[in-house]
Structure formats: C-alpha cells, structure tokens
Amino acid sequence: MTIRFGPFTFDLDTRQLTRDNAEIHLSPKAFELLATLVLDRPKVLSKAILQERLWPATFVAEANLSNLVAEIREALGDNARSPLFIRTAHGFGYAFCADATSLSIGREPTSDRPVCWIEWGAHRFPLSIGEHVIGRDPDVDVQLDASTVSRRHARLIVTREETVLEDFGSKNGTFRGSERVAGRILLADGDVIGIGSVQITFHTLVGSMSTDTQVRSAQ
C-alpha cells in the first residue's frame, strides 16, 4: 500500500518515505509508528495502545514514544505547536491530522498474485503479499460496510510464508474464533475472524504456523 500526504509518498510495502523522489530516513520503530498513525487516521490513538503496538508485551518508558514522535516530526518538517501531520492530544496520545490518499501503484506480476483471501458471505477479497487494511472506509483493502466495524479496524500482513492479523485498537475488537486479538497473531487456513460483529473467513494457498503461536516484534 502506498499513501500520499502533502509532498510525501509513504510506501508500506517497500518501507520508504520519500519527498520529490528523495528518500527520508526513519528508524524502524519510527516508520512503524508513522504507519500506525497514518492507517488509523484521523483517530487519536492513546499512548498505551501505541506502546502495545510498537512494543507488545514489553514495558518501555513513555519517553521512547515521545522520542519517536519527535523523530517523525523532524523528518516531515512538522511543528508540534502548529502541526500539519502529527497532532498531540495532550495527556492522551497522538493522531495523524493531514489529508492522505491511498494510491494504486502497479507491481511486478509475481507480487500481485494472490496467495490468500478473505470470504465474507458472497464477497471474496484476494490478498497478495503486503499489508492489507480491514475496515469500513472506502479506500481500505477489505471493506466491510457494517456499523460495528471501525474505519480502519485491523490489518493483515501477508508474506510468502505466513499471514499475521493485527487489531488497530478498534472499539469493538478483532477476534480469531472466540479469542480477542491483542498484539499480532498468525492465521491458518479456515480461521474465522470477528471484525466487530462481522464474521469473515481466512483462506490461504500457503502453509502457516500453528495458530497458537504469538508473533512478537523483532525490533
């Protein structure tokens, strides 16, 4: 997925932030934080949710999060007092506040080839390698038009070896079967996923690790 905001292009698949075709360096955690805020825009995400997303099941000082925000603002030329991109909700958390557009950019045929899919009733959503957002917004990859589904509810991270499901701090939760998703979990063929009250089914053409395995950040 590629997203454009202001003079910037943000490619989640290649993990690049560019301006006028010049790449802007971000540390891995800063990139992940920016991706989280952009994908869940314009929702304000609490510091607790952001810390859980970035450092699942790990205690870190709050200063680590504020340092990442400062790194992103410096990279974007943003100002905390009059922000164009990253807004602070004082005493709570942060939000991405700029207008952004998701772009459809052609890729090599091998990477476009679906390796798994989501079924929702008569609807089928083929998924190629990369990140795919599930939600109610019209520009997401798996659009579920239901009142209990958040605008950007969850995401699937698809590789050649596995598919990972991650909740975006949604109001009504994301579930694999009866298990509420916290952090990231691996999916297996036939898993039933609850997006709010909506039930969808995951299918894959490739093998997957046991669904009892929890994925932890390598960072």
Side-chain angles (χ1 to χ4, degrees), residues 71-117:
E71 179 184 344
I72 293 170
R73 283 177 170 151
E74 182 178 359
L76 300 178
D78 207 9
N79 188 317
R81 294 182 179 273
S82 53
L84 295 175
F85 302 106
I86 307 297
R87 177 173 69 86
T88 301
H90 294 287
F92 184 76
Y94 301 96
F96 187 83
C97 58
D99 290 333
T101 304
S102 297
L103 306 176
S104 296
I105 296 179
R107 303 190 186 279
E108 295 298 323
T110 53
S111 63
D112 266 346
R113 185 176 182 180
V115 295
C116 57
W117 66 95

Side-chain angles (χ1 to χ4, degrees), residues 6-20:
F8 301 100
T9 300
F10 191 50
D11 193 320
L12 297 175
D13 295 330
T14 64
R15 296 185 65 86
Q16 289 179 301
L17 172 68
T18 58
R19 177 172 183 167
D20 299 327

Side-chain angles (χ1 to χ4, degrees), residues 159-205:
T159 69
R160 295 189 184 280
E161 295 79 25
E162 63 191 26
T163 298
V164 173
L165 173 66
E166 179 184 19
D167 183 67
F168 274 163
S170 60
K171 178 180 178 182
N172 295 308
T174 300
F175 301 83
R176 183 188 61 191
S178 60
E179 174 191 6
R180 184 157 188 159
V181 174
R184 297 178 176 182
I185 61 172
L186 287 170
L187 296 177
D189 184 56
D191 276 347
V192 176
I193 302 169
I195 304 294
S197 63
V198 174
Q199 298 289 303
I200 60 179
T201 305
F202 172 77
H203 291 288
T204 181
L205 299 174

Side-chain angles (χ1 to χ4, degrees), residues 1 39-40 53 117-120 125 127 131-146 148-158 163-170 173-175 181 187 192-196 198-202:
M1 176 185 291
L39 289 171
D40 222 37
R53 297 251 188 106
W117 66 95
I118 290 293
E119 290 182 354
W120 177 38
F125 302 91
L127 305 174
E131 298 188 7
H132 304 274
V133 178
I134 304 172
R136 201 174 67 248
D137 264 6
D139 64 343
V140 300
D141 304 287
V142 180
Q143 185 186 12
L144 306 176
D145 190 11
T148 60
V149 177
S150 300
R151 292 179 56 193
R152 285 172 169 77
H153 195 107
R155 70 173 168 176
L156 296 164
I157 304 171
V158 181
T163 298
V164 173
L165 173 66
E166 179 184 19
D167 183 67
F168 274 163
S170 60
T174 300
F175 301 83
V181 174
L187 296 177
V192 176
I193 302 169
I195 304 294
V198 174
Q199 298 289 303
I200 60 179
T201 305
F202 172 77

